[in-house]
Amino acid sequence: MKQERIHDALNLLDDDLIEAVDTLRASKRKRKLPWVRWVSLAACLCLLVGVASFFPFRAEDTASDGIFFANSSAEQEAEMPNVIADNSAAAGTVTGDPLISVRIDSRQEDGFLGTVTASGIWEVGTVVKVMVEEAQISKAEFPVGTVARVQFSRSEQTDGLCIVYAKEILSAE
Amino acid sequence: MEDERIVALYWDRNESAIHETQKKYERYLNKIAYNILSNLEDGMESVNDTYLAAWNSIPPHRPSVLSTYLGKLTRRISIDIFRKRSREKRQATEYAVSLTELEDCIPGGSTPEETMEVQLLADAINAYLRTLPEDARNTFIGRYYFLDSLKDVADYCGMSEARAKSMLYRTRCGLKAYLIKEGFAL
């Protein structure tokens, strides 16, 4: 039959012609209507904007919650409200970490409890627990009742108590 | 495994050549067979026969693109199985039965004239397809060599079914005119 002869002949097609179609079959390109591409792009943009609106700039949120994830970014430090950034402190002080002024109320094994005396990250009167290594603070230099300027690397809030991890304890001026 | 290494296994008469071929191309060959036979069992038979045909033909052949070489084997074997099944189904009348009986009187295989005729037809079809735009050529080969559905052909050629259908129609008309011009009696 004629059609059978053609099918037999098609079995002798040049390999390069067959390979070209094989590549297409493997990729299985779908027909894209032009407007589908633009609608997809618009949908992606809307999704990005929607997701971004759920994540406002972190420093604003963390400042109001009283939790600050310290890093050495100068930009982030600049946006922290009323943070005392004192670069004239004693030698060895790490610049860029926030400072708070705390009146030492009572000494504890791993640091001291105190009250914030200058507004900044926390309001005046906020009770904070300052975690320090023994070597960082001497009882003679920082007796109960003195105001210390605490440069800290990180802070957290546990059971309503603000806890800061001191990097340096500086004398209040 | 790359085709070159699989072909080397055939040349070394290493039986793992069949295993590697099956691992890489079984799905591809099953698709071709199923397009022709629409029957899983017959398709499996065709693909198994393909592995045997590959083992018997490599060497002396050394195909550079194994998929195309195996695909042609599967296509030919599947069409032969289809024709055999069709003949078996036609055995409803004495005429059909007699055709099958008389077939045994003809020596197996094609005559040299028939083989030459098919080769000449193939050369003409190849030449005609090369005159076509890429889309038209690809749809024709997809539909009539790979025997994919119109929907599949339209999908991977990046066009609507309606456009693929009309393109195929124009290509068939063009092929007929070309073959008549080349002196083929249709």
Side-chain angles (χ1 to χ4, degrees):
Chain A
M1 282 189 279
K2 290 187 293 192
Q3 57 269 39
E4 291 193 355
R5 279 169 53 202
I6 291 181
H7 270 299
D8 290 340
L10 284 174
N11 232 52
L12 300 174
L13 273 184
D14 291 340
D15 286 357
D16 61 316
L17 298 181
I18 297 170
E19 282 157 30
V21 180
D22 226 355
T23 306
L24 278 181
R25 294 169 86 236
S27 64
K28 286 234 186 253
R29 269 184 320 186
K30 299 281 180 188
R31 182 174 66 93
K32 283 193 174 69
L33 296 166
W35 58 267
V36 169
R37 193 179 299 172
W38 294 112
V39 167
S40 304
L41 186 62
C44 286
L45 282 172
C46 289
L47 187 63
L48 276 171
V49 168
V51 167
S53 67
F54 279 101
F55 295 96
F57 183 63
R58 183 172 275 174
E60 292 167 2
D61 270 353
T62 57
S64 63
D65 290 341
I67 296 173
F68 176 73
F69 296 94
N71 62 39
S72 59
S73 162
E75 291 158 346
Q76 197 152 1
E77 186 186 340
E79 293 202 37
M80 285 296 303
N82 300 321
V83 169
I84 304 165
D86 186 352
N87 293 333
S88 65
T93 304
V94 176
T95 59
D97 293 315
L99 273 169
I100 53 170
S101 293
V102 180
R103 186 188 64 243
I104 301 172
D105 293 331
S106 62
R107 299 296 289 260
Q108 298 191 323
E109 257 185 48
D110 50 1
F112 61 85
L113 274 176
T115 309
V116 173
T117 60
S119 63
I121 301 167
W122 294 286
E123 290 176 358
V124 173
T126 304
V127 175
V128 295
K129 167 87 182 277
V130 180
M131 307 289 286
V132 296
E133 290 177 7
E134 192 57 39
Q136 286 178 295
I137 185 168
S138 74
K139 288 177 185 168
E141 196 179 354
F142 296 97
V144 169
T146 58
V147 175
R149 288 165 68 214
V150 179
Q151 191 167 41
F152 61 93
S153 57
R154 65 184 178 93
S155 67
E156 61 190 33
Q157 198 149 17
T158 309
D159 296 327
L161 178 65
C162 300
I163 301 173
V164 300
Y165 294 82
K167 284 184 81 170
E168 286 285 337
I169 310 290
L170 309 167
S171 296
E173 290 179 355
Chain B
M1 187 183 279
E2 293 93 23
D3 286 353
E4 207 177 296
R5 286 178 62 189
I6 298 177
V7 170
L9 288 173
Y10 279 102
W11 274 76
D12 292 340
R13 306 319 281 165
N14 185 333
E15 287 178 8
S16 65
I18 307 286
H19 172 71
E20 293 299 328
T21 304
Q22 187 177 12
K23 210 164 76 168
K24 191 171 180 183
Y25 291 114
E26 185 172 39
R27 199 173 166 190
Y28 171 79
L29 298 175
N30 275 331
K31 171 76 174 154
I32 293 175
Y34 191 79
N35 278 351
I36 296 168
L37 298 165
S38 295
N39 180 289
L40 278 174
E41 273 182 32
D42 288 347
M44 280 169 57
E45 180 189 336
S46 167
V47 172
N48 286 334
D49 287 350
T50 300
Y51 300 142
L52 180 61
W55 181 257
N56 290 335
S57 59
I58 306 172
H61 291 92
R62 192 185 281 274
S64 54
V65 181
L66 206 48
S67 58
T68 308
Y69 184 79
L70 295 170
K72 283 186 174 178
L73 289 175
T74 300
R75 190 178 181 278
R76 178 176 56 76
I77 292 167
S78 300
I79 288 174
D80 288 345
I81 293 175
F82 177 85
R83 288 170 181 168
K84 187 180 167 196
R85 298 277 185 263
S86 297
R87 281 195 297 272
E88 286 168 358
K89 278 183 193 168
R90 280 200 302 267
Q91 288 183 359
T93 68
E94 291 298 331
Y95 172 72
V97 171
S98 69
L99 279 178
T100 311
E101 290 168 355
L102 290 171
E103 198 177 64
D104 293 339
C105 300
I106 303 167
S110 310
T111 64
E113 290 79 14
E114 283 169 349
T115 306
M116 178 64 77
E117 197 180 296
V118 169
Q119 183 63 59
L120 287 173
L121 185 58
D123 291 345
I125 293 174
N126 275 317
Y128 170 70
L129 289 177
R130 288 188 189 281
T131 67
L132 297 176
E134 194 180 340
D135 275 355
R137 182 169 59 242
N138 291 341
T139 50
F140 185 88
I141 294 172
R143 184 77 186 100
Y144 300 119
Y145 174 82
F146 286 103
L147 297 160
D148 288 326
S149 67
L150 185 64
K151 182 180 181 303
D152 284 349
V153 171
D155 270 348
Y156 60 68
C157 288
M159 62 181 72
S160 65
E161 280 187 50
R163 183 159 175 247
K165 193 173 177 182
S166 66
M167 192 173 275
L168 285 167
Y169 174 75
R170 285 196 301 274
T171 305
R172 290 195 306 269
C173 293
L175 177 61
K176 181 177 178 179
Y178 184 86
L179 292 177
I180 290 172
K181 185 168 75 77
E182 293 295 308
F184 288 90
L186 299 174

